[in-house]
Amino acid sequence: MVDVGSRYDLRVAKSPDAPETGTFEGQESQFGWIHSYETGSTVDGPGVRLIVFMSGCLLRCQFCHNPDTWHLKDGTKIELGHAVRRLGDFAPMLRAMGGGLTISGGEPLVQTGFTCALLAAAKHMGLHTAIETSGFLGSRLSDDHLANLDLVILDIKSGDPDLYRLLTSAELEPTLRFARRLNSIGKPVWVRFVLVPGLTDIPENVETVARFVAPMANVEWVEVLPFHQLGSFKWRALGLDYKLENTRPPTDAQVQAALKIFRDAGCRAR
């Protein structure tokens, strides 16, 4: 197990002997595979955030900008105690700036045990806690786990099951089921929707997501994220088939059109 001191150490100390992501059930909590972390984010939850990017994801989104996080072996094996101590180093600064911890990925719920243990430690430190998730593995979270979460940033990539499967190679229903559960307990949620020209920007698709989200009083924001090409070099470096090589980012007019659909449906959208 590697003792790392910085985000850069993490990126050079991968764990090639990690199990395959697809068969990992995420019950381990004394160690986890972390891809990287970032400090100072102001967009992944309220205040200034520490973002921990976990390795491992079961979805294969066409527009993923972090395909280098898909497998557990893409990360560095870190002891929980070490991660908690490093979090403690940042805690005074995060509390002072009204922020906290956000766990992203990859998919943080692949490693449910480690993710939830780190969130519990953050709550004990008095930090605001959040995860960014596809919701595909939301059933792995118990009610006790959810009690340590202040915010769920939920990526809903499409409202149409066939399009969702085309985009992600996974089923939509687990995400919708998780969203309904979060609504039933009043858990604060920010919905994120990636706007990809020619794929997700079809008005009927945006309207389907808007109609699903609008009645949910627990959804504080719908965030429309314009597709970008910042991760395209990773696809090429990994030798992956990148289907969106020639797709351009949406224009401001296309983004505004999507926002209008959400707002007209009654969502707070930005």
Side-chain angles (χ1 to χ4, degrees), residues 41-47 49 102 128 130-134 150-156 178-179 182 187-193 213 216 218-225 268 270:
S41 170
T42 57
V43 297
D44 298 296
R49 317 291 297 185
T102 299
H128 183 279
I131 61 170
E132 181 178 10
T133 175
S134 71
D150 295 312
L151 173 69
V152 176
I153 301 172
L154 181 64
D155 301 324
I156 301 182
F178 185 52
L182 295 173
K187 183 65 63 179
V189 167
W190 293 1
V191 168
R192 283 187 166 169
F193 177 80
V213 172
M216 296 183 172
N218 64 316
V219 176
E220 298 178 346
W221 286 104
V222 175
E223 299 183 317
V224 175
L225 305 184
R268 292 182 72 204
R270 58 187 179 188

Side-chain angles (χ1 to χ4, degrees), residues 107-120:
E107 168 53 60
L109 300 185
V110 169
Q111 303 184 63
T112 313
F114 183 88
T115 291
C116 291
L118 191 55
L119 289 169

Side-chain angles (χ1 to χ4, degrees), residues 4-137:
V4 293
S6 76
R7 72 187 77 175
Y8 305 106
D9 294 330
L10 280 171
R11 288 172 179 166
V12 298
K14 294 184 177 181
S15 302
D17 57 343
E20 289 299 321
T21 303
T23 58
F24 188 70
E25 296 183 353
Q27 298 305 309
E28 299 288 350
S29 59
Q30 294 308 306
F31 58 83
W33 287 272
I34 295 178
H35 178 268
S36 57
Y37 67 87
E38 293 182 5
T39 57
S41 170
T42 57
V43 297
D44 298 296
V48 176
R49 317 291 297 185
L50 170 67
I51 314 297
V52 175
F53 295 93
M54 304 298 295
S55 294
C57 185
L58 302 186
L59 274 59
R60 294 293 179 265
C61 299
Q62 291 188 26
F63 48 80
C64 179
H65 60 277
N66 287 320
D68 53 329
T69 66
W70 284 353
H71 301 283
L72 293 174
K73 64 184 178 183
D74 294 329
T76 300
K77 194 173 186 178
I78 301 295
E79 289 183 346
L80 176 62
H82 178 81
V84 171
R85 288 192 295 275
R86 293 293 293 149
L87 177 62
D89 294 339
F90 291 106
M93 176 270 290
L94 296 172
R95 283 195 298 268
M97 291 189 280
L101 171 69
T102 299
I103 303 183
S104 184
E107 168 53 60
L109 300 185
V110 169
Q111 303 184 63
T112 313
F114 183 88
T115 291
C116 291
L118 191 55
L119 289 169
K123 287 299 292 180
H124 186 69
M125 296 177 194
L127 296 174
H128 183 279
T129 57
I131 61 170
E132 181 178 10
T133 175
S134 71
F136 184 69
L137 299 175

Side-chain angles (χ1 to χ4, degrees), residues 257-269:
L259 285 169
K260 184 175 186 305
I261 291 174
F262 280 110
R263 289 167 180 160
D264 286 350
C267 302
R268 292 182 72 204

